[in-house]
Amino acid sequence: MPDMLVKKGDPFPEFELSSHTGINVTKGDLLGQASVVWFYPKAATPGWTKESIGFRDEFAKYTALGVKVFGISYDSVADNNKFATKHDLPFLLLSDSKRELAIKLGLAKDSDAWFAPRISYIVSQEGVILDVIDVEDAGAHAKTTLELLDTIL
């Protein structure tokens, strides 16, 4: 896990990113419900595909728990849109192409960082980080995060 600037108990930083649908998403969109914000290295890679399909297949369970799901990478809006459409993803993929949020979180040193690390944040309805997950198994990520949510929500 990288040396992060924010950790469990800290407020999730302010941000504004474009989603694959063209809608801008801000920290305000995380408020009111718990959220899972997961960073993935690159769209259309084998790990990303397993991870995103896992969240897609478990999405009804997240919704039943009242949890929003957002995926974030350094990919362009167009690339995220292409893959969200291809895999029928019911959640938003956000483009942090300038690495602004990643830098605030300590996941990137600068705007030239190549790939986002596979890290997830569970954010409370008040915008506080409840947990940080260093994802080791992309294919099991959605299920293991659901199990964790059952213990902390």
Side-chain angles (χ1 to χ4, degrees), residues 49-62 87-91 142-143 146:
T49 302
K50 289 179 193 174
E51 198 168 24
S52 63
I53 288 172
F55 276 104
R56 179 197 68 198
D57 293 349
E58 300 292 341
F59 190 70
K61 293 177 184 173
Y62 282 91
H87 295 289
D88 293 323
L89 302 183
F91 48 85
K143 286 186 181 190
L146 269 173

Side-chain angles (χ1 to χ4, degrees), residues 36-40 47-48 51-53 55 69-73 89 91-93 117-121 135 141:
V36 173
V37 178
W38 57 284
F39 279 80
Y40 56 92
W48 173 85
E51 198 168 24
S52 63
I53 288 172
F55 276 104
V69 176
F70 300 93
I72 303 177
S73 73
L89 302 183
F91 48 85
L92 294 177
L93 298 180
R118 204 176 296 280
I119 301 286
S120 292
Y121 298 89
V135 180
H141 182 196

Side-chain angles (χ1 to χ4, degrees), residues 15 65 67-68 79 124 137 151:
F15 70 92
L65 286 174
V67 176
K68 299 176 189 177
D79 284 346
S124 75
D137 182 349
T151 67

Side-chain angles (χ1 to χ4, degrees), residues 14-29:
E14 296 290 333
F15 70 92
E16 182 173 355
L17 299 174
S18 293
S19 74
H20 74 275
T21 64
I23 297 169
N24 284 351
V25 175
T26 68
K27 179 181 177 179
D29 293 303

